[in-house]
């Protein structure tokens, strides 16, 4: 804000300068020095960035369930920082995504699971998808509401009763406390090599913006 003497309170706001994380962060500057990191850019860059937000993003498949809520902390150049609440979910190992969806879908019937489906893919370039390490798929079930703290809430009674026994022996309950997550979107099929490449790109972007 730009302020000047005057007005009923003795000071008046006479101007304001907005800084956007997506365009005003200077590469390779420390995040601890805000004045150095955030610099003005030509107006045409700002207009282009704004119009890009309004442009169609192509086909987006509808979500199968309400999404786990989050607080957007930063819309960076090529990524987002989101704060997710603590949540409890169920997870299972899988070889193919349709098998994982089928198992969790049958288990969570009537429990109103949340999107997105969270899949763990190992980011070691020397590890193949079929190299003995199980891939895991997780569905959130419940999350902590504002004012309920940062820990995960208790799991639904039906999930506790079924998980880990009988036909559900491979399904476990997993709790995740509140955390901040860096997100990079990509349009290619979520195969191991594609995910690992996106992971490398995201890490480079975070380092560029002082978020190592």
């Amino acid at each position: 804000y730009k302020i000047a003497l005057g007005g009923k309170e003795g000071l008046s706001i006479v101007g304001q300068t907005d800084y956007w994380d997506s365009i005003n962060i200077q590469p390779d500057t420390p995040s601890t020095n805000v004045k150095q990191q955030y610099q003005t850019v030509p107006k045409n860059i700002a207009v282009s960035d704004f119009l890009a937000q309004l442009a169609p993003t192509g086909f987006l498949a509808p979500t199968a369930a309400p999404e786990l809520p989050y607080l957007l902390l930063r819309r960076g150049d090529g990524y987002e920082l989101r704060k997710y609440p603590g949540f409890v979910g169920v997870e299972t190992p899988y070889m193919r995504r349709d098998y994982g969806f089928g198992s969790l879908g049958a288990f969570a019937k009537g429990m109103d699971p949340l999107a997105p489906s969270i899949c763990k893919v190992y980011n070691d370039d020397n590890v193949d998808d079929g190299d003995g390490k199980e891939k895991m798929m997780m569905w959130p079930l419940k999350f902590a509401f504002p004012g309920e703290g940062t820990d995960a809430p208790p799991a639904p009674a039906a999930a506790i009763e079924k998980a880990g026994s009988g036909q559900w022996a491979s399904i476990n309950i997993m709790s995740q406390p509140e955390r901040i997550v860096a997100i990079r979107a990509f349009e290619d099929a979520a195969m191991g090599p594609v995910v690992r490449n996106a992971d490398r790109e995201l890490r480079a972007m975070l380092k560029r913006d002082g978020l190592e």
Side-chain angles (χ1 to χ4, degrees), residues 186-191 194:
F186 56 88
E187 296 182 355
D188 295 328
M191 305 298 289
V194 175

Side-chain angles (χ1 to χ4, degrees), residues 127-159:
V127 176
D128 295 325
D129 289 341
D131 198 29
K133 289 190 176 183
E134 290 183 315
K135 297 181 290 187
M136 303 296 293
M137 178 180 292
M138 192 276 293
W139 285 10
L141 294 178
K142 292 176 59 180
F143 61 89
F145 284 86
E148 294 183 345
T150 59
D151 293 332

Side-chain angles (χ1 to χ4, degrees), residues 169-186:
S170 64
I171 294 180
N172 299 309
I173 294 175
M174 190 278 292
S175 296
Q176 175 67 58
E178 178 184 278
R179 62 175 177 171
I180 296 175
V181 180
I183 303 291
R184 173 158 174 75
F186 56 88

Side-chain angles (χ1 to χ4, degrees), residues 1-2 13-20 24 38-41:
Y1 294 102
K2 181 179 180 181
I13 298 176
V14 297
Q16 174 182 333
T17 302
D18 290 328
Y19 290 92
W20 297 351
N24 293 114
Y38 286 84
Q39 300 293 327
T40 57
V41 297

Side-chain angles (χ1 to χ4, degrees), residues 2-174:
K2 181 179 180 181
I3 60 175
L5 295 175
K8 295 181 180 180
E9 304 296 330
L11 288 175
S12 298
I13 298 176
V14 297
Q16 174 182 333
T17 302
D18 290 328
Y19 290 92
W20 297 351
D21 295 325
S22 56
I23 58 175
N24 293 114
I25 293 179
Q26 299 302 298
D28 304 316
T29 54
S31 59
T32 54
N33 190 331
V34 176
K35 290 186 176 180
Q36 179 183 352
Q37 188 174 48
Y38 286 84
Q39 300 293 327
T40 57
V41 297
K43 289 184 179 180
N44 66 303
I45 294 179
V47 172
S48 296
D49 184 78
F50 176 73
L51 293 178
Q53 297 178 54
L54 304 179
T57 55
F59 173 75
L60 294 176
T63 59
E67 188 173 353
L68 185 69
Y70 61 86
L71 176 65
L72 180 62
L73 301 178
R74 170 180 287 185
R75 185 182 67 84
D77 182 9
Y79 67 94
E80 290 183 352
L81 290 185
R82 303 175 181 177
K83 178 188 285 188
Y84 282 93
F87 67 88
V88 63
V90 287
E91 66 176 1
T92 186
Y94 72 99
M95 294 299 295
R96 288 176 29 179
R97 285 189 296 277
D98 54 341
Y99 292 171
F101 274 98
S103 296
L104 292 180
F107 177 90
K109 186 177 181 180
M111 298 184 194
D112 298 324
L114 302 164
S117 172
I118 301 173
C119 300
K120 181 185 293 182
V121 178
Y122 292 92
N123 62 3
D124 185 348
D125 287 334
N126 297 318
V127 176
D128 295 325
D129 289 341
D131 198 29
K133 289 190 176 183
E134 290 183 315
K135 297 181 290 187
M136 303 296 293
M137 178 180 292
M138 192 276 293
W139 285 10
L141 294 178
K142 292 176 59 180
F143 61 89
F145 284 86
E148 294 183 345
T150 59
D151 293 332
I160 296 175
E161 181 180 353
K162 294 164 61 176
S165 62
Q167 64 176 314
W168 314 116
S170 64
I171 294 180
N172 299 309
I173 294 175
M174 190 278 292

